[in-house]
Short mmCIF file of all heavy atoms in Angstrom, two decimals:
data_model
loop_
_atom_site.label_atom_id
_atom_site.label_comp_id
_atom_site.label_asym_id
_atom_site.label_seq_id
_atom_site.Cartn_x
_atom_site.Cartn_y
_atom_site.Cartn_z
N ALA A 2 -3.92 38.79 -2.56
CA ALA A 2 -3.59 39.94 -1.71
C ALA A 2 -3.33 39.56 -0.31
O ALA A 2 -2.38 40.00 0.39
CB ALA A 2 -4.70 40.97 -1.82
N ILE A 3 -4.17 38.60 0.22
CA ILE A 3 -3.93 38.12 1.59
C ILE A 3 -2.63 37.35 1.70
O ILE A 3 -1.85 37.44 2.68
CB ILE A 3 -5.12 37.23 1.96
CG1 ILE A 3 -6.36 38.04 2.21
CG2 ILE A 3 -4.83 36.46 3.28
CD1 ILE A 3 -7.65 37.22 2.59
N LEU A 4 -2.37 36.59 0.65
CA LEU A 4 -1.06 35.82 0.62
C LEU A 4 0.11 36.70 0.68
O LEU A 4 1.08 36.49 1.42
CB LEU A 4 -1.07 34.89 -0.57
CG LEU A 4 0.16 34.02 -0.80
CD1 LEU A 4 0.32 33.08 0.41
CD2 LEU A 4 0.00 33.13 -2.05
N CYS A 5 0.11 37.78 -0.08
CA CYS A 5 1.19 38.72 -0.10
C CYS A 5 1.33 39.42 1.19
O CYS A 5 2.44 39.61 1.74
CB CYS A 5 0.98 39.73 -1.23
SG CYS A 5 1.21 39.08 -2.91
N ALA A 6 0.16 39.82 1.83
CA ALA A 6 0.22 40.49 3.10
C ALA A 6 0.76 39.55 4.20
O ALA A 6 1.57 40.02 5.08
CB ALA A 6 -1.23 40.96 3.51
N TRP A 7 0.36 38.31 4.23
CA TRP A 7 0.84 37.34 5.16
C TRP A 7 2.34 37.10 5.01
O TRP A 7 3.15 36.97 5.97
CB TRP A 7 0.11 36.05 5.04
CG TRP A 7 0.36 35.11 6.24
CD1 TRP A 7 1.32 35.13 7.17
CD2 TRP A 7 -0.41 33.95 6.54
NE1 TRP A 7 1.25 34.11 8.07
CE2 TRP A 7 0.16 33.37 7.70
CE3 TRP A 7 -1.50 33.35 5.98
CZ2 TRP A 7 -0.35 32.23 8.33
CZ3 TRP A 7 -2.07 32.25 6.59
CH2 TRP A 7 -1.47 31.65 7.74
N THR A 8 2.78 37.10 3.76
CA THR A 8 4.26 36.96 3.49
C THR A 8 5.03 38.11 4.11
O THR A 8 6.13 37.83 4.72
CB THR A 8 4.49 36.86 1.95
OG1 THR A 8 3.74 35.75 1.41
CG2 THR A 8 5.96 36.62 1.70
N LEU A 9 4.56 39.32 3.93
CA LEU A 9 5.20 40.45 4.50
C LEU A 9 5.13 40.40 6.05
O LEU A 9 6.13 40.80 6.76
CB LEU A 9 4.59 41.78 3.96
CG LEU A 9 4.79 41.98 2.52
CD1 LEU A 9 3.97 43.25 2.02
CD2 LEU A 9 6.27 42.21 2.12
N ALA A 10 4.02 39.99 6.59
CA ALA A 10 3.89 39.94 7.98
C ALA A 10 4.81 38.94 8.67
O ALA A 10 5.15 39.04 9.78
CB ALA A 10 2.39 39.63 8.35
N ALA A 11 5.14 37.91 7.84
CA ALA A 11 6.06 36.81 8.38
C ALA A 11 7.49 37.27 8.34
O ALA A 11 8.35 36.50 8.71
CB ALA A 11 5.86 35.60 7.51
N GLY A 12 7.73 38.52 7.85
CA GLY A 12 9.12 39.09 7.91
C GLY A 12 9.88 38.78 6.65
O GLY A 12 11.12 39.04 6.58
N ARG A 13 9.22 38.30 5.61
CA ARG A 13 9.92 38.09 4.35
C ARG A 13 9.82 39.28 3.47
O ARG A 13 8.73 39.85 3.27
CB ARG A 13 9.39 36.82 3.65
CG ARG A 13 9.36 35.59 4.56
CD ARG A 13 9.01 34.38 3.75
NE ARG A 13 10.11 34.00 2.84
CZ ARG A 13 11.16 33.32 3.21
NH1 ARG A 13 11.33 32.94 4.41
NH2 ARG A 13 12.15 33.08 2.35
N PRO A 14 10.89 39.74 2.86
CA PRO A 14 10.87 40.98 2.12
C PRO A 14 10.19 40.89 0.73
O PRO A 14 10.04 39.67 0.17
CB PRO A 14 12.38 41.28 1.90
CG PRO A 14 13.03 39.97 1.91
CD PRO A 14 12.25 39.11 2.85
N VAL A 15 9.84 41.91 0.12
CA VAL A 15 9.34 41.87 -1.24
C VAL A 15 10.42 41.50 -2.18
O VAL A 15 11.54 42.06 -2.17
CB VAL A 15 8.74 43.28 -1.64
CG1 VAL A 15 8.26 43.23 -3.09
CG2 VAL A 15 7.56 43.70 -0.69
N ARG A 16 10.13 40.54 -3.02
CA ARG A 16 11.17 39.95 -3.99
C ARG A 16 10.82 40.51 -5.39
O ARG A 16 9.66 40.72 -5.72
CB ARG A 16 11.18 38.50 -3.96
CG ARG A 16 11.52 37.88 -2.62
CD ARG A 16 11.08 36.40 -2.52
NE ARG A 16 11.51 35.61 -3.66
CZ ARG A 16 12.61 34.96 -3.73
NH1 ARG A 16 13.50 34.98 -2.70
NH2 ARG A 16 12.93 34.27 -4.81
N LEU A 17 11.87 40.61 -6.16
CA LEU A 17 11.67 41.07 -7.60
C LEU A 17 10.80 40.04 -8.30
O LEU A 17 10.12 40.30 -9.29
CB LEU A 17 13.06 41.23 -8.23
CG LEU A 17 13.01 41.85 -9.66
CD1 LEU A 17 12.46 43.21 -9.61
CD2 LEU A 17 14.43 41.89 -10.22
N SER A 18 10.90 38.79 -7.87
CA SER A 18 10.16 37.73 -8.53
C SER A 18 8.63 37.91 -8.39
O SER A 18 7.92 37.21 -9.09
CB SER A 18 10.61 36.36 -7.98
OG SER A 18 10.36 36.31 -6.57
N TRP A 19 8.22 38.75 -7.43
CA TRP A 19 6.82 38.95 -7.34
C TRP A 19 6.20 39.60 -8.58
O TRP A 19 4.94 39.52 -8.75
CB TRP A 19 6.56 39.95 -6.19
CG TRP A 19 6.72 39.38 -4.77
CD1 TRP A 19 7.51 38.30 -4.44
CD2 TRP A 19 6.08 39.71 -3.61
NE1 TRP A 19 7.41 38.01 -3.13
CE2 TRP A 19 6.57 38.89 -2.57
CE3 TRP A 19 5.17 40.82 -3.30
CZ2 TRP A 19 6.09 39.01 -1.25
CZ3 TRP A 19 4.79 40.84 -1.91
CH2 TRP A 19 5.25 40.05 -0.95
N LEU A 20 7.05 40.08 -9.49
CA LEU A 20 6.47 40.63 -10.73
C LEU A 20 5.90 39.52 -11.61
O LEU A 20 5.14 39.80 -12.53
CB LEU A 20 7.60 41.36 -11.47
CG LEU A 20 8.17 42.63 -10.83
CD1 LEU A 20 9.34 43.17 -11.64
CD2 LEU A 20 7.07 43.70 -10.70
N TRP A 21 6.26 38.27 -11.36
CA TRP A 21 5.75 37.14 -12.04
C TRP A 21 4.32 36.76 -11.60
O TRP A 21 3.59 35.91 -12.25
CB TRP A 21 6.59 35.92 -11.93
CG TRP A 21 7.85 36.01 -12.77
CD1 TRP A 21 9.10 36.42 -12.40
CD2 TRP A 21 7.97 35.69 -14.14
NE1 TRP A 21 9.98 36.35 -13.46
CE2 TRP A 21 9.30 35.95 -14.53
CE3 TRP A 21 7.08 35.23 -15.11
CZ2 TRP A 21 9.77 35.70 -15.87
CZ3 TRP A 21 7.51 35.04 -16.42
CH2 TRP A 21 8.83 35.25 -16.76
N LEU A 22 3.86 37.29 -10.46
CA LEU A 22 2.55 36.93 -9.89
C LEU A 22 1.42 37.20 -10.90
O LEU A 22 0.55 36.29 -11.08
CB LEU A 22 2.25 37.66 -8.66
CG LEU A 22 2.92 37.06 -7.36
CD1 LEU A 22 2.61 37.91 -6.14
CD2 LEU A 22 2.44 35.65 -7.14
N PRO A 23 1.30 38.33 -11.61
CA PRO A 23 0.25 38.51 -12.55
C PRO A 23 0.27 37.49 -13.73
O PRO A 23 -0.77 37.07 -14.17
CB PRO A 23 0.54 39.98 -13.10
CG PRO A 23 1.32 40.63 -12.00
CD PRO A 23 2.14 39.57 -11.39
N VAL A 24 1.53 37.06 -14.09
CA VAL A 24 1.61 36.05 -15.17
C VAL A 24 1.03 34.76 -14.65
O VAL A 24 0.30 34.07 -15.33
CB VAL A 24 3.05 35.93 -15.58
CG1 VAL A 24 3.19 34.89 -16.67
CG2 VAL A 24 3.66 37.19 -16.15
N LEU A 25 1.39 34.34 -13.48
CA LEU A 25 0.92 33.08 -12.92
C LEU A 25 -0.62 33.19 -12.72
O LEU A 25 -1.33 32.22 -12.85
CB LEU A 25 1.56 32.77 -11.63
CG LEU A 25 3.10 32.51 -11.62
CD1 LEU A 25 3.67 32.32 -10.24
CD2 LEU A 25 3.37 31.27 -12.56
N PHE A 26 -1.12 34.37 -12.30
CA PHE A 26 -2.58 34.59 -12.18
C PHE A 26 -3.22 34.31 -13.47
O PHE A 26 -4.27 33.58 -13.44
CB PHE A 26 -2.77 36.07 -11.62
CG PHE A 26 -4.24 36.35 -11.35
CD1 PHE A 26 -4.63 36.33 -10.04
CD2 PHE A 26 -5.09 36.67 -12.32
CE1 PHE A 26 -6.00 36.64 -9.76
CE2 PHE A 26 -6.44 36.98 -12.06
CZ PHE A 26 -6.90 37.00 -10.78
N ILE A 27 -2.75 34.89 -14.55
CA ILE A 27 -3.44 34.77 -15.87
C ILE A 27 -3.33 33.36 -16.31
O ILE A 27 -4.33 32.81 -16.84
CB ILE A 27 -2.78 35.75 -16.90
CG1 ILE A 27 -3.10 37.18 -16.42
CG2 ILE A 27 -3.28 35.42 -18.31
CD1 ILE A 27 -2.35 38.20 -17.31
N LEU A 28 -2.15 32.69 -16.14
CA LEU A 28 -1.97 31.32 -16.64
C LEU A 28 -2.94 30.36 -15.85
O LEU A 28 -3.60 29.51 -16.48
CB LEU A 28 -0.60 30.84 -16.42
CG LEU A 28 0.44 31.45 -17.34
CD1 LEU A 28 1.84 30.99 -16.94
CD2 LEU A 28 0.16 31.12 -18.81
N ASN A 29 -3.09 30.58 -14.59
CA ASN A 29 -4.00 29.72 -13.77
C ASN A 29 -5.44 29.92 -14.21
O ASN A 29 -6.24 29.00 -14.33
CB ASN A 29 -3.86 30.05 -12.35
CG ASN A 29 -4.36 28.99 -11.39
OD1 ASN A 29 -4.69 27.85 -11.85
ND2 ASN A 29 -4.47 29.18 -10.14
N ALA A 30 -5.84 31.22 -14.40
CA ALA A 30 -7.23 31.52 -14.88
C ALA A 30 -7.48 30.94 -16.22
O ALA A 30 -8.59 30.40 -16.47
CB ALA A 30 -7.40 33.05 -14.87
N LEU A 31 -6.53 31.11 -17.13
CA LEU A 31 -6.74 30.60 -18.51
C LEU A 31 -6.88 29.02 -18.49
O LEU A 31 -7.70 28.46 -19.13
CB LEU A 31 -5.54 30.93 -19.43
CG LEU A 31 -5.53 30.51 -20.84
CD1 LEU A 31 -6.77 31.09 -21.55
CD2 LEU A 31 -4.24 30.92 -21.56
N PHE A 32 -6.05 28.36 -17.67
CA PHE A 32 -6.12 26.95 -17.60
C PHE A 32 -7.46 26.47 -17.01
O PHE A 32 -8.11 25.55 -17.47
CB PHE A 32 -4.98 26.34 -16.71
CG PHE A 32 -5.02 24.91 -16.45
CD1 PHE A 32 -4.82 24.03 -17.54
CD2 PHE A 32 -5.28 24.46 -15.22
CE1 PHE A 32 -4.89 22.64 -17.29
CE2 PHE A 32 -5.38 23.01 -15.05
CZ PHE A 32 -5.17 22.14 -16.05
N ALA A 33 -7.94 27.21 -15.96
CA ALA A 33 -9.21 26.88 -15.34
C ALA A 33 -10.33 27.08 -16.38
O ALA A 33 -11.27 26.27 -16.44
CB ALA A 33 -9.48 27.77 -14.17
N PHE A 34 -10.22 28.04 -17.15
CA PHE A 34 -11.29 28.35 -18.16
C PHE A 34 -11.32 27.23 -19.26
O PHE A 34 -12.35 26.69 -19.59
CB PHE A 34 -11.04 29.66 -18.87
CG PHE A 34 -11.83 29.90 -20.07
CD1 PHE A 34 -13.24 29.96 -20.07
CD2 PHE A 34 -11.18 30.00 -21.34
CE1 PHE A 34 -13.97 30.16 -21.25
CE2 PHE A 34 -11.95 30.20 -22.54
CZ PHE A 34 -13.32 30.24 -22.45
N LEU A 35 -10.15 26.82 -19.76
CA LEU A 35 -10.13 25.87 -20.78
C LEU A 35 -10.52 24.48 -20.32
O LEU A 35 -11.08 23.65 -21.04
CB LEU A 35 -8.72 25.82 -21.42
CG LEU A 35 -8.23 27.02 -22.13
CD1 LEU A 35 -6.78 26.95 -22.58
CD2 LEU A 35 -9.14 27.39 -23.22
N VAL A 36 -10.21 24.17 -19.03
CA VAL A 36 -10.64 22.89 -18.48
C VAL A 36 -12.15 22.96 -18.27
O VAL A 36 -12.92 21.97 -18.48
CB VAL A 36 -9.91 22.65 -17.20
CG1 VAL A 36 -10.62 21.40 -16.42
CG2 VAL A 36 -8.47 22.29 -17.44
N SER A 37 -12.67 24.10 -17.81
CA SER A 37 -14.11 24.28 -17.53
C SER A 37 -14.94 24.07 -18.78
O SER A 37 -16.04 23.44 -18.76
CB SER A 37 -14.38 25.66 -16.91
OG SER A 37 -13.74 25.75 -15.67
N ILE A 38 -14.56 24.65 -19.91
CA ILE A 38 -15.37 24.53 -21.08
C ILE A 38 -15.50 23.09 -21.56
O ILE A 38 -16.52 22.70 -22.11
CB ILE A 38 -14.90 25.48 -22.27
CG1 ILE A 38 -13.46 25.13 -22.69
CG2 ILE A 38 -15.01 26.95 -21.81
CD1 ILE A 38 -13.08 25.92 -23.88
N GLY A 39 -14.38 22.38 -21.45
CA GLY A 39 -14.47 20.95 -21.78
C GLY A 39 -15.46 20.12 -20.88
O GLY A 39 -16.20 19.36 -21.37
N ILE A 40 -15.20 20.33 -19.56
CA ILE A 40 -16.08 19.55 -18.63
C ILE A 40 -17.53 20.03 -18.70
O ILE A 40 -18.46 19.19 -18.67
CB ILE A 40 -15.55 19.79 -17.20
CG1 ILE A 40 -14.18 19.22 -17.05
CG2 ILE A 40 -16.52 19.13 -16.19
CD1 ILE A 40 -13.51 19.44 -15.70
N ALA A 41 -17.79 21.34 -18.88
CA ALA A 41 -19.16 21.77 -19.01
C ALA A 41 -19.78 21.19 -20.28
O ALA A 41 -21.03 20.89 -20.25
CB ALA A 41 -19.14 23.30 -19.10
N SER A 42 -19.02 21.09 -21.37
CA SER A 42 -19.67 20.55 -22.57
C SER A 42 -19.96 19.00 -22.37
O SER A 42 -21.06 18.59 -22.81
CB SER A 42 -18.63 20.68 -23.75
OG SER A 42 -18.38 22.00 -23.99
N LEU A 43 -19.10 18.31 -21.76
CA LEU A 43 -19.35 16.90 -21.47
C LEU A 43 -20.46 16.68 -20.50
O LEU A 43 -21.24 15.69 -20.58
CB LEU A 43 -18.09 16.22 -20.94
CG LEU A 43 -16.93 15.97 -21.89
CD1 LEU A 43 -15.77 15.40 -21.20
CD2 LEU A 43 -17.32 14.99 -23.03
#
């Protein structure tokens, strides 16, 4: 949310590509989880 607000404050318009943000959010969270369970087990 802060990143999006700063982007707008910098004068950059909202892009249609912002719709991909939730997808990237989920992919990053899923990757973090799968790495975490392996490291936690070891």
Side-chain angles (χ1 to χ4, degrees):
I3 290 179
L4 180 57
C5 292
W7 192 345
T8 302
L9 294 175
R13 305 191 69 83
V15 176
R16 299 161 51 90
L17 188 61
S18 59
W19 284 27
L20 295 176
W21 283 98
L22 280 177
V24 177
L25 294 176
F26 184 99
I27 294 173
L28 289 176
N29 200 11
L31 182 60
F32 176 68
F34 167 66
L35 296 178
V36 170
S37 295
I38 60 174
I40 296 177
S42 301
L43 289 174

